[in-house]
Amino acid sequence: MRLGAQDIERFYRHLPGRANMSPKKVCAVIALARPVSINALSVWSAKLDPVTAKPVSRQVIKAAFLALAAGKDPDNKSERKRHLNDEDEKTLVRWIDNQKMLKSMTPTRGEVIAQAKMLHKKRWTAIQDLLLSRFPLTELKPYSAPDMVGWYLMFVGRHRLMTGRAITLEDKRQICGTSATVMHFFKEVLLPAIADVPPWAMNNCDESMVAATEKNVKVVYSPTTKHYANLRKETASTFHCTCLVSINAAGTPMVPLFILPLKKVPPELEAFVRQDECTLAGHESGWISQKIFRDWCKLFVEHCDEQRALHNAPDQRCVLLSDGHNSREDVEALKILKEGNVDLVVFPAHTTHLLQPLDVCVMSPFKARLKRHFQQHRESPGLIDYYVPKEHRDTQAARDRFVLIDSAIQALRCVASGPTARQAFICTGMWPRCPKAALDNDRVVQSDRVYETEVTPSADYPRISCCIATSQTLIDALTKARDARIKKQKEQEAAAEAKKRKEDVLPVRFLLQDVMDTLLPFTFKRGDLARAMKAEQKKLDQKEAKEKAKEAADASKAAAVSAVVEI
Protein backbone atom coordinates (compact mmCIF):
# COMPACT_ATOMS: atom_id res chain seq x y z
CA MET A 1 0.00 0.00 0.00
CA ARG A 2 1.38 3.38 -1.00
CA LEU A 3 1.75 6.27 1.42
CA GLY A 4 -0.70 9.15 1.29
CA ALA A 5 -0.11 12.79 2.23
CA GLN A 6 -0.75 12.18 5.97
CA ASP A 7 1.53 9.13 6.01
CA ILE A 8 4.29 11.10 4.25
CA GLU A 9 4.00 13.89 6.82
CA ARG A 10 4.12 11.41 9.70
CA PHE A 11 7.20 9.68 8.25
CA TYR A 12 8.92 13.03 7.71
CA ARG A 13 8.49 14.04 11.37
CA HIS A 14 10.36 10.92 12.49
CA LEU A 15 13.13 11.28 9.86
CA PRO A 16 16.51 11.94 11.54
CA GLY A 17 18.68 14.77 10.19
CA ARG A 18 15.88 16.22 8.09
CA ALA A 19 16.94 19.79 8.92
CA ASN A 20 20.21 19.34 6.96
CA MET A 21 18.58 17.79 3.89
CA SER A 22 17.44 19.55 0.75
CA PRO A 23 13.81 19.03 -0.35
CA LYS A 24 14.83 16.71 -3.20
CA LYS A 25 16.94 14.59 -0.84
CA VAL A 26 14.03 14.35 1.65
CA CYS A 27 11.73 13.15 -1.14
CA ALA A 28 14.36 10.64 -2.33
CA VAL A 29 14.82 9.23 1.21
CA ILE A 30 11.05 8.84 1.67
CA ALA A 31 10.66 7.17 -1.74
CA LEU A 32 13.57 4.82 -1.05
CA ALA A 33 12.22 3.84 2.39
CA ARG A 34 8.49 3.40 1.60
CA PRO A 35 6.35 2.82 -1.51
CA VAL A 36 4.82 6.19 -2.30
CA SER A 37 2.94 7.91 -5.11
CA ILE A 38 5.29 10.25 -6.89
CA ASN A 39 2.49 12.72 -7.59
CA ALA A 40 1.53 12.87 -3.89
CA LEU A 41 5.18 13.21 -2.94
CA SER A 42 5.67 16.07 -5.41
CA VAL A 43 2.58 17.94 -4.12
CA TRP A 44 3.58 17.39 -0.49
CA SER A 45 7.15 18.68 -1.11
CA ALA A 46 5.77 22.23 -1.45
CA LYS A 47 5.51 22.31 2.38
CA LEU A 48 9.30 21.92 2.65
CA ASP A 49 9.86 25.41 1.21
CA PRO A 50 7.44 27.73 3.05
CA VAL A 51 8.85 30.86 1.36
CA THR A 52 8.17 29.97 -2.28
CA ALA A 53 5.88 26.96 -1.71
CA LYS A 54 7.39 25.48 -4.90
CA PRO A 55 7.05 21.70 -5.20
CA VAL A 56 9.90 19.44 -6.31
CA SER A 57 9.27 18.14 -9.81
CA ARG A 58 8.87 14.43 -10.48
CA GLN A 59 11.99 14.36 -12.69
CA VAL A 60 14.12 15.85 -9.91
CA ILE A 61 12.70 13.36 -7.38
CA LYS A 62 13.54 10.43 -9.68
CA ALA A 63 17.09 11.73 -10.30
CA ALA A 64 17.69 12.17 -6.57
CA PHE A 65 16.21 8.73 -5.94
CA LEU A 66 18.57 7.14 -8.48
CA ALA A 67 21.58 8.90 -6.94
CA LEU A 68 20.61 7.84 -3.44
CA ALA A 69 19.96 4.26 -4.53
CA ALA A 70 23.43 4.19 -6.11
CA GLY A 71 25.00 5.17 -2.80
CA LYS A 72 25.62 8.82 -3.71
CA ASP A 73 24.60 12.03 -2.00
CA PRO A 74 22.12 13.96 -4.21
CA ASP A 75 23.25 17.24 -2.60
CA ASN A 76 26.94 16.64 -3.39
CA LYS A 77 27.72 17.53 -7.03
CA SER A 78 31.16 15.88 -6.95
CA GLU A 79 29.65 12.57 -5.82
CA ARG A 80 27.01 12.70 -8.52
CA LYS A 81 29.81 12.48 -11.11
CA ARG A 82 31.12 9.26 -9.60
CA HIS A 83 30.00 6.28 -11.64
CA LEU A 84 30.62 3.80 -8.79
CA ASN A 85 29.84 4.13 -5.10
CA ASP A 86 32.28 3.33 -2.29
CA GLU A 87 31.22 -0.30 -2.03
CA ASP A 88 31.70 -0.95 -5.77
CA GLU A 89 35.07 0.83 -5.79
CA LYS A 90 36.30 -1.32 -2.90
CA THR A 91 35.15 -4.40 -4.83
CA LEU A 92 37.15 -3.17 -7.84
CA VAL A 93 40.28 -2.62 -5.74
CA ARG A 94 40.01 -6.19 -4.40
CA TRP A 95 39.64 -7.44 -7.99
CA ILE A 96 42.83 -5.60 -9.02
CA ASP A 97 44.77 -7.19 -6.13
CA ASN A 98 43.41 -10.66 -6.92
CA GLN A 99 44.43 -10.51 -10.59
CA LYS A 100 48.12 -10.68 -9.68
CA MET A 101 47.63 -13.64 -7.36
CA LEU A 102 45.17 -15.62 -9.49
CA LYS A 103 46.42 -14.92 -13.03
CA SER A 104 49.95 -13.62 -12.33
CA MET A 105 49.05 -10.61 -14.48
CA THR A 106 48.50 -6.98 -13.53
CA PRO A 107 45.40 -5.49 -15.24
CA THR A 108 45.74 -2.65 -17.70
CA ARG A 109 43.71 0.54 -17.63
CA GLY A 110 41.32 -0.81 -20.28
CA GLU A 111 40.69 -3.97 -18.25
CA VAL A 112 40.01 -1.92 -15.09
CA ILE A 113 37.56 0.33 -16.94
CA ALA A 114 35.83 -2.71 -18.47
CA GLN A 115 35.42 -4.26 -14.99
CA ALA A 116 34.12 -0.93 -13.67
CA LYS A 117 31.55 -0.75 -16.46
CA MET A 118 30.38 -4.26 -15.60
CA LEU A 119 29.90 -3.25 -11.94
CA HIS A 120 28.14 -0.07 -13.08
CA LYS A 121 25.72 -2.01 -15.28
CA LYS A 122 25.01 -4.48 -12.48
CA ARG A 123 24.24 -1.64 -10.06
CA TRP A 124 22.19 0.17 -12.73
CA THR A 125 20.02 -2.92 -13.30
CA ALA A 126 19.30 -3.30 -9.58
CA ILE A 127 18.44 0.40 -9.29
CA GLN A 128 16.08 0.26 -12.25
CA ASP A 129 14.25 -2.67 -10.68
CA LEU A 130 13.95 -0.69 -7.44
CA LEU A 131 12.73 2.35 -9.37
CA LEU A 132 10.00 0.30 -11.04
CA SER A 133 8.92 -1.11 -7.71
CA ARG A 134 8.55 2.43 -6.30
CA PHE A 135 7.23 4.18 -9.43
CA PRO A 136 5.55 1.53 -11.63
CA LEU A 137 4.63 3.88 -14.49
CA THR A 138 8.19 5.10 -15.03
CA GLU A 139 9.55 4.76 -18.58
CA LEU A 140 13.05 3.31 -18.37
CA LYS A 141 15.80 4.43 -20.72
CA PRO A 142 18.09 1.80 -22.28
CA TYR A 143 21.44 1.33 -20.58
CA SER A 144 24.27 3.45 -21.93
CA ALA A 145 27.80 2.87 -20.63
CA PRO A 146 29.34 6.13 -19.34
CA ASP A 147 32.74 7.49 -20.33
CA MET A 148 34.95 6.44 -17.42
CA VAL A 149 38.30 7.94 -18.42
CA GLY A 150 37.92 10.90 -16.07
CA TRP A 151 36.50 8.68 -13.34
CA TYR A 152 39.49 6.31 -13.72
CA LEU A 153 41.98 9.07 -12.92
CA MET A 154 40.05 10.10 -9.79
CA PHE A 155 39.62 6.44 -8.78
CA VAL A 156 43.38 5.83 -8.94
CA GLY A 157 43.99 8.93 -6.82
CA ARG A 158 41.31 8.14 -4.24
CA HIS A 159 42.63 4.66 -3.53
CA ARG A 160 46.33 5.56 -3.93
CA LEU A 161 46.89 3.04 -6.68
CA MET A 162 50.00 3.09 -8.86
CA THR A 163 50.42 2.80 -12.61
CA GLY A 164 53.39 1.55 -14.58
CA ARG A 165 54.52 -0.25 -17.70
CA ALA A 166 52.80 -3.54 -18.51
CA ILE A 167 54.78 -6.62 -17.48
CA THR A 168 53.53 -8.91 -20.23
CA LEU A 169 56.92 -8.94 -21.95
CA GLU A 170 58.71 -9.60 -18.68
CA ASP A 171 56.48 -12.59 -18.00
CA LYS A 172 57.31 -14.02 -21.41
CA ARG A 173 61.00 -13.47 -20.79
CA GLN A 174 60.70 -15.38 -17.52
CA ILE A 175 59.33 -18.34 -19.48
CA CYS A 176 61.63 -18.26 -22.51
CA GLY A 177 64.88 -16.79 -21.20
CA THR A 178 66.14 -19.92 -19.47
CA SER A 179 69.70 -21.18 -19.28
CA ALA A 180 68.69 -24.34 -21.15
CA THR A 181 67.27 -22.26 -24.02
CA VAL A 182 70.50 -20.26 -24.26
CA MET A 183 72.64 -23.42 -24.40
CA HIS A 184 70.27 -24.96 -26.97
CA PHE A 185 70.69 -21.92 -29.23
CA PHE A 186 74.47 -21.94 -28.96
CA LYS A 187 74.86 -25.66 -29.63
CA GLU A 188 72.16 -26.30 -32.23
CA VAL A 189 72.03 -23.03 -34.18
CA LEU A 190 74.95 -20.67 -33.61
CA LEU A 191 77.82 -23.16 -33.71
CA PRO A 192 77.14 -24.47 -37.25
CA ALA A 193 76.34 -20.94 -38.48
CA ILE A 194 79.49 -19.09 -37.38
CA ALA A 195 82.07 -21.73 -38.28
CA ASP A 196 84.97 -20.06 -40.14
CA VAL A 197 83.30 -16.64 -39.98
CA PRO A 198 85.63 -13.69 -39.17
CA PRO A 199 84.42 -10.85 -36.91
CA TRP A 200 83.87 -8.40 -39.81
CA ALA A 201 81.39 -10.91 -41.33
CA MET A 202 79.45 -11.34 -38.06
CA ASN A 203 76.55 -8.82 -38.13
CA ASN A 204 73.58 -7.98 -35.97
CA CYS A 205 70.54 -5.88 -36.99
CA ASP A 206 67.69 -4.52 -34.90
CA GLU A 207 64.92 -1.91 -35.07
CA SER A 208 64.20 0.76 -32.51
CA MET A 209 61.68 3.57 -32.32
CA VAL A 210 63.35 6.97 -32.59
CA ALA A 211 61.45 9.60 -30.63
CA ALA A 212 61.87 11.85 -27.65
CA THR A 213 59.08 10.01 -25.90
CA GLU A 214 58.08 6.39 -25.45
CA LYS A 215 54.50 5.31 -24.96
CA ASN A 216 54.13 2.31 -22.69
CA VAL A 217 51.00 0.39 -21.77
CA LYS A 218 50.10 1.44 -18.24
CA VAL A 219 48.96 -1.07 -15.62
CA VAL A 220 47.25 -0.52 -12.29
CA TYR A 221 48.39 -2.17 -9.06
CA SER A 222 48.26 -1.67 -5.33
CA PRO A 223 51.40 -0.39 -3.55
CA THR A 224 51.38 -3.53 -1.39
CA THR A 225 51.43 -5.82 -4.46
CA LYS A 226 54.80 -7.09 -5.63
CA HIS A 227 55.40 -5.56 -9.02
CA TYR A 228 58.38 -5.08 -11.29
CA ALA A 229 57.14 -2.43 -13.70
CA ASN A 230 59.49 0.11 -15.25
CA LEU A 231 58.20 3.65 -14.72
CA ARG A 232 59.34 6.15 -17.37
CA LYS A 233 58.98 9.88 -17.67
CA GLU A 234 59.94 11.24 -21.07
CA THR A 235 59.94 14.58 -22.86
CA ALA A 236 57.32 15.24 -25.50
CA SER A 237 57.90 15.04 -29.25
CA THR A 238 55.71 15.59 -32.28
CA PHE A 239 57.48 13.10 -34.57
CA HIS A 240 58.64 9.49 -34.38
CA CYS A 241 60.09 6.92 -36.75
CA THR A 242 61.84 3.53 -36.74
CA CYS A 243 65.59 3.17 -37.03
CA LEU A 244 67.08 -0.07 -38.44
CA VAL A 245 70.68 -0.44 -37.27
CA SER A 246 73.31 -3.01 -38.21
CA ILE A 247 76.80 -3.48 -36.73
CA ASN A 248 79.45 -6.18 -36.97
CA ALA A 249 81.79 -7.70 -34.41
CA ALA A 250 84.73 -5.69 -35.79
CA GLY A 251 82.97 -2.44 -34.81
CA THR A 252 81.95 -1.33 -38.32
CA PRO A 253 78.37 -0.02 -38.60
CA MET A 254 76.18 0.05 -41.67
CA VAL A 255 74.41 3.22 -42.82
CA PRO A 256 71.21 3.33 -40.73
CA LEU A 257 67.75 3.13 -42.26
CA PHE A 258 65.00 5.44 -40.94
CA ILE A 259 61.40 4.45 -41.63
CA LEU A 260 59.18 7.53 -41.60
CA PRO A 261 55.38 7.56 -41.12
CA LEU A 262 55.13 9.54 -44.37
CA LYS A 263 54.52 8.76 -48.05
CA LYS A 264 57.15 11.16 -49.40
CA VAL A 265 60.61 12.11 -48.20
CA PRO A 266 60.46 15.54 -46.49
CA PRO A 267 62.69 18.11 -48.23
CA GLU A 268 64.48 18.99 -44.99
CA LEU A 269 65.83 15.40 -44.71
CA GLU A 270 67.24 15.16 -48.24
CA ALA A 271 70.56 16.57 -47.04
CA PHE A 272 71.21 13.44 -44.94
CA VAL A 273 70.64 11.18 -47.95
CA ARG A 274 72.88 13.26 -50.23
CA GLN A 275 75.70 13.04 -47.68
CA ASP A 276 75.19 9.26 -47.36
CA GLU A 277 74.53 9.54 -43.63
CA CYS A 278 71.32 7.51 -43.70
CA THR A 279 68.74 5.81 -45.89
CA LEU A 280 65.07 6.77 -45.77
CA ALA A 281 61.93 4.70 -46.31
CA GLY A 282 58.25 5.36 -45.73
CA HIS A 283 55.37 3.42 -44.22
CA GLU A 284 51.99 4.63 -43.03
CA SER A 285 52.61 3.43 -39.47
CA GLY A 286 56.29 4.27 -39.29
CA TRP A 287 57.19 0.62 -38.55
CA ILE A 288 59.13 -1.86 -40.64
CA SER A 289 57.27 -4.07 -43.11
CA GLN A 290 58.24 -7.09 -45.17
CA LYS A 291 58.73 -4.96 -48.29
CA ILE A 292 61.00 -2.51 -46.47
CA PHE A 293 63.03 -5.37 -44.98
CA ARG A 294 63.33 -6.89 -48.47
CA ASP A 295 64.71 -3.63 -49.85
CA TRP A 296 67.05 -3.29 -46.88
CA CYS A 297 68.40 -6.81 -47.51
CA LYS A 298 69.58 -5.65 -50.94
CA LEU A 299 71.51 -2.81 -49.28
CA PHE A 300 72.91 -5.21 -46.69
CA VAL A 301 74.20 -7.58 -49.37
CA GLU A 302 75.95 -4.61 -51.02
CA HIS A 303 77.44 -3.72 -47.63
CA CYS A 304 78.72 -7.29 -47.25
CA ASP A 305 80.26 -7.15 -50.74
CA GLU A 306 82.10 -3.97 -49.77
CA GLN A 307 83.46 -5.67 -46.64
CA ARG A 308 84.54 -8.70 -48.68
CA ALA A 309 86.38 -6.47 -51.16
CA LEU A 310 87.99 -4.55 -48.30
CA HIS A 311 89.30 -7.75 -46.68
CA ASN A 312 90.07 -9.47 -50.00
CA ALA A 313 87.69 -12.38 -49.34
CA PRO A 314 85.13 -12.44 -52.17
CA ASP A 315 83.71 -15.86 -51.26
CA GLN A 316 83.45 -15.31 -47.50
CA ARG A 317 80.10 -16.27 -46.01
CA CYS A 318 78.49 -13.62 -43.77
CA VAL A 319 76.12 -14.06 -40.83
CA LEU A 320 73.26 -11.74 -39.85
CA LEU A 321 71.86 -12.12 -36.33
CA SER A 322 68.29 -10.92 -35.91
CA ASP A 323 65.12 -11.27 -33.83
CA GLY A 324 62.03 -13.10 -35.07
CA HIS A 325 60.01 -10.10 -36.26
CA ASN A 326 57.39 -11.04 -38.84
CA SER A 327 59.17 -8.95 -41.49
CA ARG A 328 61.82 -11.71 -41.54
CA GLU A 329 59.23 -14.13 -42.92
CA ASP A 330 59.37 -12.57 -46.38
CA VAL A 331 60.46 -15.30 -48.79
CA GLU A 332 61.97 -12.91 -51.33
CA ALA A 333 64.10 -11.26 -48.64
CA LEU A 334 65.43 -14.65 -47.51
CA LYS A 335 66.24 -15.55 -51.11
CA ILE A 336 68.14 -12.27 -51.56
CA LEU A 337 70.24 -13.03 -48.47
CA LYS A 338 70.86 -16.60 -49.57
CA GLU A 339 71.94 -15.53 -53.05
CA GLY A 340 74.23 -12.96 -51.43
CA ASN A 341 75.93 -15.71 -49.38
CA VAL A 342 74.45 -14.46 -46.09
CA ASP A 343 72.99 -16.69 -43.37
CA LEU A 344 70.15 -15.16 -41.33
CA VAL A 345 70.31 -16.54 -37.78
CA VAL A 346 67.17 -15.85 -35.71
CA PHE A 347 67.32 -15.73 -31.91
CA PRO A 348 64.89 -17.74 -29.76
CA ALA A 349 61.66 -15.95 -28.92
CA HIS A 350 61.88 -13.36 -26.10
CA THR A 351 65.63 -13.84 -25.52
CA THR A 352 67.03 -10.77 -27.29
CA HIS A 353 67.59 -9.13 -23.88
CA LEU A 354 70.16 -11.87 -23.27
CA LEU A 355 71.62 -12.70 -26.71
CA GLN A 356 71.27 -9.73 -29.06
CA PRO A 357 74.34 -7.42 -28.93
CA LEU A 358 72.38 -4.32 -29.94
CA ASP A 359 69.77 -4.88 -27.22
CA VAL A 360 72.27 -5.64 -24.46
CA CYS A 361 74.89 -2.90 -24.95
CA VAL A 362 73.92 -0.40 -27.68
CA MET A 363 70.25 0.61 -27.64
CA SER A 364 70.11 1.93 -24.08
CA PRO A 365 73.07 4.37 -24.43
CA PHE A 366 71.84 5.21 -27.94
CA LYS A 367 68.47 6.42 -26.66
CA ALA A 368 70.10 8.32 -23.79
CA ARG A 369 72.41 10.17 -26.19
CA LEU A 370 69.53 10.71 -28.62
CA LYS A 371 67.48 12.57 -26.02
CA ARG A 372 70.46 14.62 -24.92
CA HIS A 373 71.31 15.62 -28.51
CA PHE A 374 67.66 16.33 -29.28
CA GLN A 375 67.29 18.75 -26.38
CA GLN A 376 70.54 20.56 -27.21
CA HIS A 377 69.76 20.93 -30.92
CA ARG A 378 66.15 21.89 -30.33
CA GLU A 379 67.21 24.76 -28.08
CA SER A 380 69.87 25.96 -30.56
CA PRO A 381 68.33 25.74 -34.07
CA GLY A 382 71.41 27.00 -35.92
CA LEU A 383 72.10 23.58 -37.48
CA ILE A 384 68.87 23.37 -39.46
CA ASP A 385 69.24 27.00 -40.55
CA TYR A 386 72.62 26.10 -42.08
CA TYR A 387 71.62 22.91 -43.93
CA VAL A 388 67.97 23.45 -44.88
CA PRO A 389 66.56 26.24 -47.08
CA LYS A 390 64.17 28.64 -45.43
CA GLU A 391 61.11 27.48 -47.39
CA HIS A 392 61.54 23.92 -46.04
CA ARG A 393 61.89 24.76 -42.33
CA ASP A 394 58.95 27.04 -41.70
CA THR A 395 56.92 24.57 -39.61
CA GLN A 396 57.80 23.18 -36.20
CA ALA A 397 57.16 19.63 -37.47
CA ALA A 398 59.86 20.04 -40.13
CA ARG A 399 62.33 21.34 -37.56
CA ASP A 400 61.54 18.48 -35.17
CA ARG A 401 62.06 15.90 -37.93
CA PHE A 402 65.42 17.34 -38.90
CA VAL A 403 66.66 17.65 -35.31
CA LEU A 404 65.47 14.15 -34.38
CA ILE A 405 67.11 12.41 -37.37
CA ASP A 406 70.33 14.37 -36.91
CA SER A 407 70.37 13.52 -33.18
CA ALA A 408 69.89 9.83 -33.99
CA ILE A 409 72.76 9.86 -36.49
CA GLN A 410 75.08 11.59 -34.02
CA ALA A 411 74.11 9.17 -31.25
CA LEU A 412 74.73 6.14 -33.49
CA ARG A 413 78.19 7.42 -34.37
CA CYS A 414 79.06 7.42 -30.69
CA VAL A 415 77.65 4.06 -29.58
CA ALA A 416 77.25 1.84 -32.68
CA SER A 417 80.89 1.71 -33.75
CA GLY A 418 84.32 0.97 -32.37
CA PRO A 419 84.82 -0.43 -28.85
CA THR A 420 81.13 -0.29 -27.89
CA ALA A 421 80.09 -2.48 -30.82
CA ARG A 422 82.90 -4.97 -30.23
CA GLN A 423 82.08 -5.15 -26.51
CA ALA A 424 78.41 -5.84 -27.35
CA PHE A 425 79.37 -9.06 -29.17
CA ILE A 426 81.74 -10.08 -26.38
CA CYS A 427 79.15 -9.55 -23.60
CA THR A 428 76.55 -11.71 -25.35
CA GLY A 429 79.03 -14.43 -26.34
CA MET A 430 78.27 -14.04 -30.04
CA TRP A 431 81.90 -13.32 -30.95
CA PRO A 432 84.05 -14.97 -29.92
CA ARG A 433 81.57 -17.75 -29.29
CA CYS A 434 81.25 -18.09 -25.50
CA PRO A 435 78.01 -19.40 -23.95
CA LYS A 436 79.33 -18.57 -20.46
CA ALA A 437 79.25 -14.84 -21.28
CA ALA A 438 75.53 -15.03 -22.02
CA LEU A 439 74.80 -17.24 -19.02
CA ASP A 440 76.51 -14.76 -16.67
CA ASN A 441 73.71 -12.27 -17.37
CA ASP A 442 71.69 -11.70 -14.19
CA ARG A 443 68.42 -11.88 -16.14
CA VAL A 444 68.94 -15.51 -17.21
CA VAL A 445 66.44 -17.82 -15.50
CA GLN A 446 68.14 -20.97 -14.25
CA SER A 447 65.94 -23.75 -15.58
CA ASP A 448 66.18 -26.95 -17.63
CA ARG A 449 63.14 -25.97 -19.67
CA VAL A 450 63.76 -25.33 -23.38
CA TYR A 451 60.79 -23.36 -24.66
CA GLU A 452 61.69 -23.78 -28.35
CA THR A 453 61.38 -27.57 -28.18
CA GLU A 454 57.92 -27.33 -26.57
CA VAL A 455 56.35 -25.33 -29.40
CA THR A 456 54.86 -27.48 -32.18
CA PRO A 457 55.43 -25.79 -35.57
CA SER A 458 52.39 -25.31 -37.78
CA ALA A 459 52.42 -26.61 -41.33
CA ASP A 460 50.22 -23.71 -42.47
CA TYR A 461 52.43 -21.07 -40.89
CA PRO A 462 56.09 -22.05 -40.24
CA ARG A 463 57.67 -20.45 -37.19
CA ILE A 464 60.89 -18.46 -37.59
CA SER A 465 62.64 -18.69 -34.24
CA CYS A 466 65.92 -20.19 -33.02
CA CYS A 467 66.94 -21.26 -36.53
CA ILE A 468 68.89 -20.40 -39.65
CA ALA A 469 66.12 -18.73 -41.64
CA THR A 470 67.98 -18.86 -44.96
CA SER A 471 68.08 -22.65 -45.02
CA GLN A 472 66.49 -24.09 -48.14
CA THR A 473 64.11 -26.26 -46.10
CA LEU A 474 62.65 -23.26 -44.29
CA ILE A 475 62.45 -21.19 -47.47
CA ASP A 476 60.53 -24.00 -49.20
CA ALA A 477 58.17 -24.31 -46.22
CA LEU A 478 57.55 -20.55 -46.18
CA THR A 479 56.97 -20.52 -49.94
CA LYS A 480 54.48 -23.37 -49.67
CA ALA A 481 52.69 -21.70 -46.77
CA ARG A 482 52.60 -18.38 -48.64
CA ASP A 483 51.17 -19.96 -51.78
CA ALA A 484 48.56 -21.78 -49.70
CA ARG A 485 47.56 -18.54 -47.97
CA ILE A 486 47.30 -16.70 -51.31
CA LYS A 487 45.20 -19.51 -52.78
CA LYS A 488 42.94 -19.58 -49.74
CA GLN A 489 42.58 -15.83 -49.82
CA LYS A 490 41.61 -15.88 -53.50
CA GLU A 491 39.07 -18.62 -52.84
CA GLN A 492 37.58 -16.60 -49.99
CA GLU A 493 37.41 -13.49 -52.15
CA ALA A 494 35.77 -15.44 -54.98
CA ALA A 495 33.25 -16.98 -52.57
CA ALA A 496 32.50 -13.58 -51.08
CA GLU A 497 32.02 -12.08 -54.53
CA ALA A 498 29.74 -14.92 -55.57
CA LYS A 499 27.75 -14.55 -52.38
CA LYS A 500 27.49 -10.83 -52.95
CA ARG A 501 26.25 -11.33 -56.51
CA LYS A 502 23.75 -13.90 -55.31
CA GLU A 503 22.43 -11.78 -52.45
CA ASP A 504 22.24 -8.50 -54.32
CA VAL A 505 18.56 -7.67 -54.69
CA LEU A 506 17.39 -6.37 -58.06
CA PRO A 507 13.84 -4.90 -58.31
CA VAL A 508 12.13 -6.09 -61.52
CA ARG A 509 8.67 -6.37 -62.98
CA PHE A 510 7.91 -9.90 -64.08
CA LEU A 511 4.93 -10.87 -66.25
CA LEU A 512 3.15 -13.96 -64.93
CA GLN A 513 2.03 -16.57 -67.44
CA ASP A 514 -1.26 -17.30 -65.73
CA VAL A 515 -2.26 -13.62 -65.29
CA MET A 516 -1.77 -12.06 -68.69
CA ASP A 517 -3.81 -8.91 -68.06
CA THR A 518 -2.00 -7.85 -64.84
CA LEU A 519 1.58 -6.58 -64.53
CA LEU A 520 2.64 -7.30 -60.95
CA PRO A 521 5.87 -6.02 -59.33
CA PHE A 522 8.01 -8.74 -57.77
CA THR A 523 11.43 -8.57 -56.12
CA PHE A 524 13.75 -11.35 -57.15
CA LYS A 525 17.31 -12.13 -56.24
CA ARG A 526 19.63 -12.19 -59.21
CA GLY A 527 19.89 -15.96 -59.15
CA ASP A 528 16.10 -16.39 -58.94
CA LEU A 529 15.60 -13.96 -61.82
CA ALA A 530 18.07 -15.78 -64.02
CA ARG A 531 16.43 -19.13 -63.30
CA ALA A 532 12.95 -17.71 -63.98
CA MET A 533 14.03 -16.15 -67.24
CA LYS A 534 15.76 -19.37 -68.25
CA ALA A 535 12.61 -21.35 -67.50
CA GLU A 536 10.50 -18.94 -69.55
CA GLN A 537 12.95 -19.14 -72.44
CA LYS A 538 12.83 -22.93 -72.23
CA LYS A 539 9.04 -22.87 -72.41
CA LEU A 540 9.14 -20.59 -75.44
CA ASP A 541 11.71 -22.83 -77.15
CA GLN A 542 9.58 -25.90 -76.47
CA LYS A 543 6.48 -24.17 -77.80
CA GLU A 544 8.36 -23.06 -80.90
CA ALA A 545 9.73 -26.59 -81.43
CA LYS A 546 6.20 -28.07 -81.14
CA GLU A 547 4.88 -25.58 -83.67
CA LYS A 548 7.71 -26.42 -86.09
CA ALA A 549 7.10 -30.15 -85.61
CA LYS A 550 3.38 -29.66 -86.22
CA GLU A 551 4.09 -27.65 -89.36
CA ALA A 552 6.49 -30.35 -90.55
CA ALA A 553 3.89 -33.06 -89.83
CA ASP A 554 1.17 -31.12 -91.68
CA ALA A 555 3.51 -30.57 -94.62
CA SER A 556 4.42 -34.26 -94.83
CA LYS A 557 0.73 -35.20 -94.52
CA ALA A 558 -0.21 -32.80 -97.30
CA ALA A 559 2.59 -34.18 -99.47
CA ALA A 560 1.34 -37.73 -98.87
CA VAL A 561 -2.25 -36.76 -99.75
CA SER A 562 -1.15 -35.05 -102.97
CA ALA A 563 0.92 -38.12 -103.94
CA VAL A 564 -2.13 -40.38 -103.41
CA VAL A 565 -4.28 -38.07 -105.51
CA GLU A 566 -1.76 -38.14 -108.37
CA ILE A 567 -1.74 -41.96 -108.31
Side-chain angles (χ1 to χ4, degrees), residues 362-379:
V362 176
M363 286 304 176
S364 181
F366 161 68
K367 291 186 177 181
R369 285 181 177 271
L370 167 67
K371 292 164 191 171
R372 188 159 60 248
H373 280 290
F374 181 80
Q375 292 299 329
Q376 293 173 355
H377 292 180
R378 204 179 191 189
E379 294 171 0

Side-chain angles (χ1 to χ4, degrees), residues 24-25 28-29 32 59-77 79-86 123 127-128 130-131:
K24 64 179 180 181
K25 186 175 181 180
V29 171
L32 189 63
Q59 289 78 8
V60 174
I61 293 176
K62 289 180 181 179
F65 173 84
L66 292 174
L68 197 64
K72 306 172 187 177
D73 187 358
D75 295 337
N76 192 336
K77 292 184 179 180
E79 281 199 8
R80 279 185 290 174
K81 296 180 180 179
R82 290 176 57 180
H83 299 300
L84 298 182
N85 57 22
D86 293 335
R123 176 73 63 176
I127 292 173
Q128 296 301 310
L130 182 62
L131 181 65

Side-chain angles (χ1 to χ4, degrees), residues 214-272:
E214 293 186 4
K215 295 182 179 180
N216 296 307
V217 179
K218 293 298 184 66
V219 295
V220 186
Y221 59 97
S222 172
T224 58
T225 306
K226 185 178 180 181
H227 185 77
Y228 45 93
N230 227 350
L231 300 178
R232 295 181 180 179
K233 185 179 181 180
E234 309 291 348
T235 56
S237 174
T238 57
F239 176 75
H240 78 278
C241 63
T242 300
C243 178
L244 180 57
V245 186
S246 176
I247 60 174
N248 62 26
T252 306
M254 181 183 168
V255 176
L257 169 66
F258 291 97
I259 305 168
L260 312 176
L262 304 171
K263 294 183 179 180
K264 297 182 180 179
V265 177
E268 67 273 7
L269 302 182
E270 292 178 355
F272 297 116

Side-chain angles (χ1 to χ4, degrees), residues 342-384:
V342 177
D343 285 343
L344 177 62
V345 178
V346 181
F347 295 112
H350 308 298
T351 59
T352 54
H353 64 295
L354 306 173
L355 301 175
Q356 181 155 250
L358 284 170
D359 266 3
V360 174
C361 296
V362 176
M363 286 304 176
S364 181
F366 161 68
K367 291 186 177 181
R369 285 181 177 271
L370 167 67
K371 292 164 191 171
R372 188 159 60 248
H373 280 290
F374 181 80
Q375 292 299 329
Q376 293 173 355
H377 292 180
R378 204 179 191 189
E379 294 171 0
S380 57
L383 190 65
I384 186 173

Side-chain angles (χ1 to χ4, degrees), residues 301-314:
V301 171
E302 294 177 1
H303 171 74
C304 291
D305 292 338
E306 293 175 359
Q307 293 296 313
R308 292 184 183 110
L310 182 64
H311 294 86
N312 195 21

